[in-house]
Amino acid sequence: MEKTFLIILSIVIFASCDRKDECESVFPAPPTIAISIVDNEGKSLIGEENTYKPSEIMLSRNGQEIELEFIEFQGNTSIGLNYGSMQSMADYDFRLRANETDILNLTINEYDGDCFNYKRVDSFKLNGEEISSETTSYIIQK
């Protein structure tokens, strides 16, 4: 009986160590999405020489500004948004330029993973209209 118990205990310890080692080599994806703003032909409208200048674009709520990152890729600029500290289903002022502010509302949920919990945007709304995406990239057409 004692040998059976020791064998079972060894298997449990070995299995848990194997899982721990597996999780140590996995890094969680940061809670980020990409936002593109394009015209009706799909051309980017973000850029210092375009309609929406990165220096004017701002996301805020109750006076607290959310940091945005601007990413250039193949001549197009998109916005990188880390939503990790954002409040789910809250309205954020998305100022695109001095005279144009939209309302951004994200539904953010946390899920259990095998090695860690992660957050995901389940709904992306701009001015109350849902913009769907099957990836972590959202396209706003202006």
Side-chain angles (χ1 to χ4, degrees):
M1 179 75 172
E2 187 176 324
K3 284 184 179 182
T4 305
F5 175 75
L6 288 175
I7 291 172
I8 292 172
L9 181 62
S10 296
I11 292 171
V12 169
I13 290 172
F14 179 74
S16 65
C17 287
D18 189 41
R19 183 56 156 174
K20 181 181 175 191
D21 291 342
E22 181 182 314
C23 288
E24 285 179 356
S25 64
V26 175
F27 296 97
T32 58
I33 57 173
I35 303 170
S36 299
I37 304 174
V38 300
D39 63 14
N40 58 1
E41 296 174 358
K43 182 180 174 195
S44 178
L45 296 175
I46 303 173
E48 288 303 326
E49 304 300 320
N50 281 326
T51 306
Y52 303 114
K53 297 168 182 27
S55 58
E56 295 179 358
I57 297 173
M58 185 175 82
L59 183 65
S60 64
R61 180 169 185 266
N62 298 330
Q64 179 185 8
E65 189 172 340
I66 306 299
E67 186 175 338
L68 302 174
E69 181 180 352
F70 294 91
I71 304 156
E72 287 250 358
F73 182 71
Q74 296 182 343
N76 292 317
T77 302
S78 61
I79 301 167
L81 170 60
N82 183 322
Y83 57 85
S85 64
M86 292 177 67
Q87 183 178 342
S88 182
M89 298 188 299
D91 289 341
Y92 286 80
D93 294 326
F94 190 31
R95 187 185 80 193
L96 301 176
R97 53 185 170 179
N99 61 349
E100 185 176 357
T101 300
D102 292 331
I103 302 299
L104 179 64
N105 184 297
L106 305 177
T107 300
I108 304 165
N109 290 305
E110 188 166 331
Y111 296 92
D112 294 331
D114 290 336
C115 298
F116 50 82
N117 292 346
Y118 63 95
K119 290 183 177 185
R120 183 178 76 197
V121 172
D122 289 327
S123 173
F124 181 105
K125 292 182 182 178
L126 189 71
N127 300 324
E129 182 179 326
E130 184 154 359
I131 296 174
S132 62
S133 176
E134 293 187 19
T135 65
T136 58
S137 183
Y138 295 86
I139 300 172
I140 298 168
Q141 188 173 17
K142 292 280 187 175

